[in-house]
Amino acid sequence: MSDVNKPPSNLLDIVIVGAGISGINAAYRIQTELPSATYSILEARGHIGGTWDLFRYPGFRSDSDLYTFGFAWRPWAEQQHIADGKSIQKYICDSAALYGIDQRVQFHHRLISANWSSDQQAWTLTVDKGGEKVNFHARFVILGTGYYDYDEALSSAIPGIENFKGITVHPQFWPEDLNYEGKRIIIIGSGSTAVTLLPSLAETASHVTMLQRSPSYVVARPAVDPFAQWAQSLFSAWFAHRITRLKFLVLGFLFIKFCALFPLAARNVLKKATSKELPRNVPHNPHFEPRYNPWEQRLCLCPDGDFFKAMREGKASVVTDTINTVAETGVQLASGKHLDTDIIVTATGLKLKIAGGARISVDGVPINVGDQFLWRNAMLQDVPNMATMIGYTNASWTLGADATAILICRLLKSMADHQFTAAVPRLDENMRMESVPALNLTSTYVVRGIREIPRTGDKAPWRPRSSYFFDLWDAKFGNLMHGLQFEKVST
């Protein structure tokens, strides 16, 4: 055997990139389903948690219920099902420590590039280890890096922002020492980040204004679910969690289908609920009358209606208008109105990015992730032995990531049984397939960054995610051969 074909001596079975919720979940599935597999987790930052360790802005919290966002294998035990970021990060860390997964994490290891060698049937990962370049080798790579850029926020053209003499801050890079007590604050944006920030800032700020070009759907939900409390009072903790999780899964699925089939009725339901929460002097239209139908963009949740409570108490307000220019002391609107402020928060969205920006190549040939189709929302077309974790846009992210982890573990078992060394998603040359966005949202940050995300199609097994129930069944029982080409190469 030539040296070129020899596998590296330090070859791992699996390398997971990212120690966020997707990476930790994948590690648990590997330990459980493939106990003899050797694996390591590469984490660019210094802590476990991913998103939940990165963001530090006031009020940072989940926009999904924790009964479905949490791990299926370790129930969320807290009362609040819409939880703050610190609680979620602690939950992920505790879960990793409980199963020894934290011992597999190598911190400050940032993936720079990954190249697949057909001769060696292995990946070579070039990693920045605190300024030093080192190589890792693996038979299979799982990307649990999320879908956005940790280092750069989405740029937004705000005319005249350079003229502002006050403080300008983006939520993704919130200064820990920022003192906003008694300050006037304008939040530019209308998504979940803006809706989360407003009530938290309003607690000590002089006044908070959410300035939006167009509104979003804002939905008030109890921070503590009454059904969960009832279940916990009657049943064991394990069974209470199972039926509560099932309740959220089923009702969430039915509501999304309701919105898709009856959009006008869904609009009316949300309008009625929102109108009940608004102060009498704040009209529903134009401030809470979106141009799009429910779930064409994510709904914004506010626990116990804290967003609306801040408005009713006069601590916050919403202005729907466009920015003419930013002046030294505030924002001049197209309507002629001027908003004075001390601080401007640009909550304008995330910049999409897969694999943390790492370069991916096969036998030295670069792969443009945005040009590739996704096989079962898990593997990139023409890229051997690599999975990427992409969750749901209309449900908890973890559900999709877990379906992918279960599918990949099943695939690896099958490959071992048949002594396959590689699995490569391939498009049938005779298949006529239309491209469909993998993230089915019309949000600005998704539309602007769509070329950074792998594509999906209108035919199986390349279709986008539809529902957790279907994806979970497909992960456990679907035909693994459909759309995959297997290789058996002696190394």
Side-chain angles (χ1 to χ4, degrees):
M1 182 186 294
S2 69
D3 290 340
V4 173
N5 292 335
K6 284 183 179 179
S9 58
N10 57 345
L11 180 66
L12 292 164
D13 290 320
I14 303 161
V15 165
I16 300 170
V17 183
I21 198 163
S22 297
I24 298 302
N25 182 75
Y28 173 84
R29 293 299 182 189
I30 289 167
Q31 289 188 173
T32 306
E33 301 297 326
L34 306 164
S36 62
T38 59
Y39 82 92
S40 186
I41 304 174
L42 306 181
E43 170 54 49
R45 296 169 56 78
H47 302 91
I48 289 172
T51 293
W52 307 102
D53 176 63
L54 173 68
F55 286 97
R56 305 295 175 89
Y57 63 79
F60 176 50
R61 64 185 180 223
S62 65
D63 62 351
S64 299
D65 70 273
L66 265 296
Y67 294 111
T68 59
F69 188 81
F71 300 120
W73 40 271
R74 185 171 183 261
W76 173 258
E78 303 297 325
Q79 286 290 317
Q80 290 193 329
H81 71 96
I82 303 175
D84 64 272
K86 287 184 178 180
S87 298
I88 297 173
Q89 199 252 352
K90 182 179 184 301
Y91 164 74
I92 297 171
C93 289
D94 291 347
S95 300
L98 182 63
Y99 291 93
I101 297 170
D102 58 339
Q103 301 302 310
R104 304 295 190 103
V105 182
Q106 301 192 57
F107 295 108
H108 303 294
H109 281 60
R110 179 186 297 274
L111 179 64
I112 301 172
S113 63
N115 179 66
W116 170 262
S117 169
S118 295
D119 290 332
Q120 296 182 337
Q121 292 287 283
W123 285 97
T124 296
L125 309 178
T126 302
V127 175
D128 182 336
K129 179 186 176 183
E132 175 190 3
K133 284 189 178 181
V134 296
N135 288 336
F136 285 78
H137 304 279
R139 291 188 174 92
F140 204 99
V141 173
I142 297 175
L143 301 174
T145 53
Y147 67 106
Y148 66 90
D149 192 331
Y150 276 40
D151 300 316
E152 184 179 347
L154 182 69
S155 61
S156 182
I158 302 175
I161 190 69
E162 68 280 359
N163 299 324
F164 185 55
K165 297 300 184 182
I167 298 172
T168 303
V169 60
H170 192 284
Q172 190 167 333
F173 309 106
W174 193 274
E176 292 187 9
D177 59 349
L178 178 61
N179 179 15
Y180 53 87
E181 183 176 357
K183 304 293 185 180
R184 298 163 298 176
I185 303 174
I186 291 178
I187 305 170
I188 299 176
S190 61
S192 61
T193 301
V195 170
T196 298
L197 274 165
L198 183 142
S200 184
L201 295 176
E203 291 178 3
T204 57
S206 171
H207 189 82
V208 181
T209 302
M210 188 174 86
L211 175 58
Q212 58 183 14
R213 182 175 53 192
S214 59
S216 300
Y217 292 101
V218 183
V219 180
R221 287 175 61 176
V224 178
D225 183 61
F227 180 88
Q229 287 184 304
W230 171 81
Q232 290 164 8
S233 68
L234 293 179
F235 307 111
S236 67
W238 177 86
F239 186 71
H241 175 268
R242 299 304 294 180
I243 61 173
T244 303
R245 176 180 168 88
L246 182 61
K247 170 231 172 182
F248 276 96
L249 285 171
V250 172
L251 291 186
F253 171 78
L254 292 176
F255 181 67
I256 289 167
K257 290 298 181 185
F258 170 71
C259 291
L261 295 173
F262 308 103
L264 291 180
R267 275 177 172 267
N268 289 331
V269 169
L270 294 174
K271 180 178 180 179
K272 185 176 180 181
T274 302
S275 297
K276 289 181 179 179
E277 299 282 347
L278 290 175
R280 292 183 178 179
N281 63 329
V282 177
H284 185 271
N285 190 16
H287 305 305
F288 297 93
E289 191 82 28
R291 295 191 291 258
Y292 57 89
N293 290 323
W295 279 118
E296 289 179 0
Q297 296 183 24
R298 284 189 72 91
L299 303 186
C300 300
L301 302 182
C302 56
D304 292 332
D306 59 357
F307 176 87
F308 300 109
K309 181 182 178 183
M311 294 180 65
R312 290 195 299 268
E313 292 176 348
K315 298 178 180 180
S317 57
V318 174
V319 174
T320 305
D321 208 331
T322 54
I323 298 174
N324 184 34
T325 189
V326 177
E328 293 185 359
T329 60
V331 179
Q332 186 69 38
L333 302 177
S335 63
K337 187 176 181 181
H338 182 85
L339 301 177
D340 285 319
T341 189
D342 303 302
I343 300 172
I344 293 178
V345 181
T346 56
T348 50
L350 303 169
K351 182 181 178 183
L352 300 189
K353 180 180 282 189
I354 292 292
R359 301 185 302 274
I360 299 172
S361 57
V362 175
D363 294 324
V365 179
I367 298 294
N368 187 344
V369 172
D371 290 338
Q372 308 306 111
F373 282 93
L374 273 176
W375 178 81
R376 291 188 174 173
N377 296 278
M379 296 179 69
L380 292 171
Q381 168 199 353
D382 299 331
V383 179
N385 291 19
M386 176 178 280
T388 181
M389 300 292 184
I390 296 181
Y392 293 97
T393 56
N394 55 11
S396 294
W397 180 269
T398 324
L399 296 173
D402 194 34
T404 293
I406 291 170
L407 172 66
I408 295 305
C409 286
R410 180 172 163 238
L411 173 62
L412 291 172
K413 282 183 180 179
S414 178
M415 290 173 64
D417 291 343
H418 294 88
Q419 298 183 334
F420 292 135
T421 54
V424 191
R426 300 288 194 196
L427 270 176
D428 187 337
E429 294 180 357
N430 298 319
M431 179 183 289
R432 294 184 177 180
M433 185 170 66
E434 296 294 328
S435 179
V436 177
L439 301 180
N440 58 338
L441 297 178
T442 60
S443 305
T444 300
Y445 76 97
V446 174
V447 173
R448 286 181 58 183
I450 198 66
R451 291 296 300 159
E452 302 296 326
I453 300 294
R455 297 183 292 168
T456 50
D458 60 351
K459 292 182 173 61
W462 311 95
R463 292 193 182 107
R465 294 202 182 279
S466 56
S467 76
Y468 172 66
F469 298 107
F470 174 82
D471 291 337
L472 185 62
W473 184 94
D474 192 48
K476 291 182 175 181
F477 308 109
N479 183 359
L480 289 176
M481 302 297 175
H482 189 197
L484 281 186
Q485 173 185 307
F486 292 93
E487 298 176 357
K488 187 184 293 187
V489 180
S490 175
T491 57

